[in-house]
Amino acid sequence: MAGTTEIYICYPGQAVKEGKCEYSDISSRMEADGDAARRFADDPKIAKIAYYKVDEDGAFKILCTKENANVQKSGRGRLDSGARTHPDRKKRAKQKQGLFGRLKSAFAD
């Protein structure tokens, strides 16, 4: 892998080590900048891209790291358990009890 570049593609909330790793033959910062711009245009959900130049012996050098200023929220993020409701949706008012319901609850106590 002489002269190989590792490209880490990260979505919102991901660390660089958790990102998807791809390999390329990009050798300069200018090439990396152009590639990052193309990738951000192709997939606007990408939050960050990091380019590392890797030698045969395992030594690496950071070529470029880019963050997407116009990242779109993705549905891939971690969600907590529980139902989600729309913030504009009003909750239903509790239905009032009728005469027999009130009598029943009065005698139940």
Side-chain angles (χ1 to χ4, degrees):
M1 291 198 324
T4 301
T5 302
E6 291 182 353
I7 305 169
Y8 290 91
I9 302 167
C10 306
Y11 291 93
Q14 276 187 326
V16 173
K17 291 182 179 181
E18 295 173 349
K20 178 182 172 186
C21 181
E22 294 183 5
Y23 297 95
S24 178
D25 59 351
I26 293 173
S27 59
S28 71
R29 184 180 173 98
M30 280 183 41
E31 290 177 43
D33 286 340
D35 185 67
R38 181 189 56 81
R39 288 177 189 268
F40 288 148
D42 289 347
D43 187 0
K45 294 178 184 176
I46 296 173
K48 186 177 190 177
I49 299 178
Y51 295 85
Y52 292 92
K53 184 77 171 168
V54 181
D55 294 333
E56 288 179 5
D57 60 353
F60 64 92
K61 175 184 169 186
I62 298 173
L63 275 180
C64 178
T65 302
K66 290 288 185 179
E67 291 191 27
N68 189 357
N70 301 320
V71 67
Q72 292 180 358
K73 299 289 182 192
S74 107
R76 300 172 73 171
R78 298 178 188 131
L79 297 177
D80 58 337
S81 61
R84 296 195 180 255
T85 59
H86 194 274
D88 294 336
R89 178 178 269 176
K90 294 181 180 178
K91 292 183 179 180
R92 281 189 179 174
K94 192 172 182 179
Q95 193 172 11
K96 293 182 180 180
Q97 288 184 343
L99 175 65
F100 290 113
R102 289 191 309 247
L103 287 173
K104 184 179 173 183
S105 65
F107 288 113
D109 293 334

